[in-house]
Amino acid sequence: MQLNLTKPICFFDLETTGINITSDRIVEISILKVHPNGKEERHTWLVNPEMQIPEEVTAIHGISNEDVADKPTFKTLAKEIHNLIKDSDLGGFNSNRFDIPLLAEEMLRADVDFEMKNRHSVDVQTIFHKMEQRTLSAAYKFYCDKNLDGAHSAEADTNATYEVLKAQIERYDELENDTKFLAEFSSRKKFADFAGFLIYNKEGLECFSFGKHKGKLVTEVLEKEPGYFGWILNADFPLYTKKVLTAIKLRSFNNKF
């Protein structure tokens, strides 16, 4: 089958130095760009993370420090990758909670203004968990009746994710072949940032999701306790969270005039 697209969608997967969004780095990125006419283009890069890859992580994805020693850094690749995906929706497996937030951090560190406005993100893992509650390898076997050779290789996982989504749409009548529907179906809570520190309430207003101000409106907290803004900017929060918080503060300031 062919996905019903109104704009391209880029399925992608990251292999990294670990699972900390703010401190870990990309060591491999694979992108499968699917166009509305069905055309597919594939790109895979090994990336020098400019930090050591722990042995226990290499044991999972098979990428060693020697493999990436002479590869380009993400900052070198950032504009090329951004140009590839900037006109597209995004798709992945656990991408809403990990791959997109970490990619955003890498982009911002490379001085590329990464945004998700006016695009959708389809998380195939969320669809899978809502329907079957299993892993990518099990999903590939269940939906496509194939064994996932090369699991934890970014390219193998990216291609499998794309095939699983198409099989999911064919299997479940309640799934529409529409990127917006799939994005909404595969979303969890509505986050104002990627990492989930800022969420939207029922009225669509940004609230903190953690700490002593959990559930409180961001605008009210920043007005009553302005030092909290400075604390977050100087603490170990994701760059994108800080960017969104700054935008809220500026918007609130401008609304006073």
Side-chain angles (χ1 to χ4, degrees):
M1 67 163 293
Q2 182 172 316
L3 293 181
N4 183 21
L5 304 174
T6 57
K7 65 191 296 187
I9 181 169
C10 285
F11 293 91
F12 78 104
D13 186 72
L14 306 178
E15 302 302 338
T16 65
T17 59
I19 58 174
N20 188 306
I21 291 170
T22 58
S23 61
D24 280 305
R25 301 291 187 267
I26 294 171
V27 299
E28 185 180 31
I29 178 171
S30 186
I31 299 173
L32 167 59
K33 185 170 186 176
V34 184
H35 296 265
N37 63 4
K39 177 186 174 183
E40 301 173 7
E41 51 179 303
R42 293 173 168 81
H43 305 267
T44 300
W45 298 268
L46 282 172
V47 183
N48 185 334
E50 300 182 278
M51 64 183 294
Q52 289 293 301
I53 306 172
E55 291 183 5
E56 61 270 23
V57 177
T58 294
I60 294 172
H61 55 49
I63 301 171
S64 67
N65 292 297
E66 292 74 20
D67 292 332
V68 297
D70 61 347
K71 300 303 179 183
T73 63
F74 189 85
K75 188 167 187 176
T76 303
L77 296 168
K79 289 185 179 179
E80 180 182 0
I81 293 171
H82 186 255
N83 287 336
L84 179 65
I85 68 175
K86 66 182 181 181
D87 64 340
S88 306
D89 294 322
L90 297 179
F93 199 85
N94 194 33
S95 50
N96 285 350
R97 292 190 294 173
F98 181 73
D99 297 85
I100 291 176
L102 200 148
L103 179 64
E105 291 298 292
E106 290 277 41
M107 287 289 185
L108 292 174
R109 277 192 289 267
D111 299 320
V112 175
D113 191 17
F114 181 84
E115 281 287 357
M116 284 298 292
K117 292 179 180 178
N118 302 316
R119 65 166 122 192
H120 301 298
S121 60
V122 178
D123 193 328
V124 175
Q125 185 193 60
T126 303
I127 296 174
F128 181 39
H129 284 181
K130 284 185 174 182
M131 296 299 188
E132 303 296 343
Q133 303 289 317
R134 299 185 185 176
T135 63
L136 177 56
S137 295
Y140 196 52
K141 181 67 176 177
F142 182 84
Y143 289 110
C144 306
D145 196 25
K146 300 176 183 178
N147 293 319
L148 181 50
D149 298 325
H152 295 299
S153 149
E155 184 171 2
D157 288 357
T158 296
N159 293 335
T161 297
Y162 174 47
E163 289 189 45
V164 167
L165 177 60
K166 292 190 293 182
Q168 286 174 330
I169 294 170
E170 289 186 326
R171 177 178 288 265
Y172 302 114
D173 291 338
E174 58 265 48
L175 294 183
E176 297 179 17
N177 190 349
D178 175 80
T179 305
K180 181 180 179 181
F181 173 89
L182 294 169
E184 292 175 352
F185 188 87
S186 63
S187 67
R188 297 175 186 265
K189 290 182 179 179
K190 291 189 175 181
F191 298 146
D193 64 340
F194 293 131
F197 291 107
L198 307 174
I199 61 174
Y200 292 108
N201 64 13
K202 293 180 180 179
E203 289 73 40
L205 301 175
E206 299 94 344
C207 297
F208 288 106
S209 67
F210 68 98
K212 64 180 182 179
H213 294 307
K214 184 176 181 179
K216 296 180 182 178
L217 291 175
V218 172
T219 51
E220 291 182 359
V221 172
L222 296 185
E223 183 173 355
K224 295 177 181 179
E225 191 179 336
Y228 198 64
F229 174 75
W231 173 74
I232 291 178
L233 290 190
N234 291 313
D236 189 25
F237 285 91
L239 295 175
Y240 195 83
T241 299
K242 296 176 182 179
K243 175 184 175 181
V244 172
L245 192 64
T246 301
I248 296 171
K249 184 177 177 65
L250 290 174
R251 185 186 69 205
S252 179
F253 179 79
N254 290 332
N255 286 341
K256 293 180 180 179
F257 297 95

